[in-house]
Amino acid sequence: MEPFTPLSVVDQLVAHLRGAISRGEFGDTMPGIRSLASSLDVSANSVTAALERLENEGFLEPQGHGCRSRIVLPKNFVRTAYRVTLLLYEREDLQLGYVAEIQQQLKEKGHDVHVAAKSLVELGMNVSRIARVVNHTKTDAWVVLSAPREVLEWFAGHSVPAFALFGRFRRLPLAAAGLDKVSAFRAAVRRLAELGHRRIVLMQPKHNREPFPALLVRESLEEMEANGIKTGPYNLPDWEQSPAGIRRCLDSLFALNAPTAIIFDRPNELLAAQIHLTQKKILVPRDISLICDDDPAFAWFDPPISCIRWDYRSWVRRVVRWVDDVANGNDDRRQSFTQAKFVEKGSIGPAASVRAPSSSTPSLFLQK
């Protein structure tokens, strides 16, 4: 075995700068010596020596005293692709149209795109477990889908750039794109109230309920109150986000004080709920009205699903632009939102007669 020889500061700088150049992080010219020395926390002499080495290797072409060196790259040099890893909310996100389009457009741009070995749901939303996966993954940037606040706070302090696609990212120093569903949810609640619904349930993921309700949830509950519906834990049940968990929650709700309308967050949850309710002979919209975030599969449903709809193309463009920016060494932390709208279809109707609760189980949130 050859004896171990640690790399000098200049050797480390050369390797670091060579990699950054190969990934296109600097564009057409190198930053100045003082700028590099400051950002890399090394001496100007070390930067000068490293740049001279890169000139000798054919990566840089000097432009004269006081001018930045031009990046030329040696002949037959193959630029290293910028590595991007998607951390999904759940494995089923791979079937979403915008996820597939993000992957495709990033690949067309020449980026190297991967999906993390486990999703946030598979990691239990546990920051320690997520940190271990992230720290053991070789990547240049992360795109994180629908993460809770504490996970995004961790990414905001991590050295590798990250983009939050949905999730509770407001006021965090992260680039992000979100969906503004507040007005759409308020419109859906108002319409249900007009149809006589008094027992409206929001089936929201845990990160939208804890440690405090998200803005969307608070606004939806406020809209219920504005329409004379007294709210409480009944309207925002605590449930385990799994197929068994949603069945248990539905059984509990219908045994206690049957809801007349449910608004779901994710299409797969609505589908699981509709199958379970149909088995119990609870039909849409005769007995229950259902609303959910939109999905292309809803075109096949009978009756068609009333939904919260939006144009996802802006998210795809934003993610691709962000990856291009950070690959070129730019610090992009802008946040943007897409407006959603409520689309009424056949899965909602007038409120059904409310089933009386069991005489042995008094309702704590009985609404008149």
Side-chain angles (χ1 to χ4, degrees):
M1 180 181 292
E2 293 293 329
F4 172 72
T5 303
L7 292 175
S8 68
V9 172
V10 174
D11 288 334
Q12 294 179 57
L13 275 174
V14 169
H16 174 78
L17 294 174
R18 189 192 296 120
I21 290 171
S22 72
R23 292 190 296 271
E25 294 182 11
F26 297 129
D28 296 327
T29 60
M30 285 295 291
I33 292 174
R34 288 183 181 178
S35 175
L36 286 171
S38 175
S39 63
L40 298 173
D41 195 23
V42 294
S43 71
N45 289 338
S46 295
V47 171
T48 300
L51 294 180
E52 288 176 355
R53 287 259 300 272
L54 291 170
E55 287 176 15
N56 294 333
E57 292 178 7
F59 283 87
L60 301 177
E61 183 178 281
Q63 301 296 297
H65 181 70
C67 298
R68 296 182 177 184
S69 296
R70 187 164 66 92
I71 295 173
V72 290
L73 300 181
K75 292 181 179 180
N76 301 322
F77 178 80
V78 178
R79 187 183 291 275
T80 302
Y82 195 74
R83 297 165 297 177
V84 183
T85 302
L86 307 183
L87 178 55
L88 305 177
Y89 178 79
E90 58 185 349
R91 186 59 49 179
E92 288 75 12
D93 286 348
L94 285 172
Q95 302 170 18
L96 297 173
Y98 60 85
V99 172
E101 196 163 332
I102 287 171
Q103 290 178 289
Q104 181 61 33
Q105 289 200 22
L106 287 175
K107 289 176 181 177
E108 289 176 357
K109 287 273 192 172
H111 301 300
D112 187 14
V113 186
H114 299 273
V115 174
K118 291 188 176 181
S119 69
L120 291 170
V121 169
E122 290 170 321
L123 294 167
M125 302 293 173
N126 184 283
V127 175
S128 296
R129 294 178 64 191
I130 292 166
R132 283 196 294 272
V133 169
V134 170
N135 290 330
H136 284 85
T137 302
K138 292 183 178 180
T139 192
D140 298 308
W142 288 91
V143 177
V144 186
L145 276 68
S146 303
R149 182 77 176 184
E150 58 271 20
V151 171
L152 293 178
E153 286 175 343
W154 183 87
F155 271 101
H158 192 54
S159 58
V160 178
F163 186 99
L165 186 55
F166 321 130
R168 302 183 74 168
F169 58 76
R170 292 174 187 265
R171 294 181 294 280
L172 287 177
L174 278 176
L179 180 62
D180 186 353
K181 298 192 288 187
V182 170
S183 60
F185 263 62
R186 278 189 173 272
V189 170
R190 280 197 302 273
R191 181 58 180 147
L192 290 172
E194 290 171 359
L195 291 168
H197 293 272
R198 314 297 293 173
R199 296 188 174 88
I200 303 171
V201 171
L202 304 174
M203 294 293 289
Q204 287 291 307
K206 184 176 181 180
H207 67 264
N208 274 357
R209 305 190 310 266
E210 300 177 4
F212 53 86
L215 175 64
L216 170 67
V217 174
R218 298 198 304 271
E219 293 274 351
S220 299
L221 294 173
E222 285 180 11
E223 188 65 38
M224 291 184 202
E225 293 279 356
N227 283 274
I229 302 171
K230 185 179 179 182
T231 61
Y234 175 89
N235 306 97
L236 188 65
D238 182 17
W239 64 290
E240 175 195 326
Q241 202 165 357
S242 68
I246 201 167
R247 291 193 294 270
R248 285 194 297 269
C249 182
L250 290 170
D251 289 344
S252 175
L253 288 169
F254 278 85
L256 179 66
N257 212 1
T260 59
I262 304 177
I263 303 178
F264 289 90
D265 183 63
R266 299 177 73 82
N268 56 334
E269 294 162 4
L270 176 139
L271 178 58
Q274 188 167 5
I275 291 172
H276 183 65
L277 294 174
T278 301
Q279 291 172 343
K280 303 284 186 180
K281 302 187 185 305
I282 300 170
L283 302 180
V284 178
R286 186 194 71 186
D287 307 307
I288 186 77
S289 290
L290 301 181
I291 299 172
C292 185
D293 281 3
D294 197 14
D295 187 274
F298 288 168
W300 293 79
F301 279 50
D302 184 19
I305 302 298
S306 296
C307 61
I308 309 298
R309 180 173 293 171
W310 56 86
D311 182 355
Y312 68 76
R313 290 173 293 182
S314 62
W315 306 336
V316 177
R317 292 193 296 268
R318 178 71 182 98
V319 171
V320 174
R321 282 199 302 268
W322 176 80
V323 173
D324 285 342
D325 281 346
V326 295
N328 288 317
N330 299 320
D331 184 15
D332 178 1
R333 301 189 187 188
R334 292 169 295 167
Q335 297 184 353
S336 60
F337 292 88
T338 298
Q339 195 74 31
K341 63 179 180 178
F342 170 58
V343 179
E344 181 177 347
K345 293 194 175 182
S347 65
I348 68 170
S353 299
V354 178
R355 186 178 304 173
S358 167
S359 59
S360 61
T361 309
S363 171
L364 297 179
F365 303 102
L366 186 61
Q367 301 166 15
K368 297 180 180 180

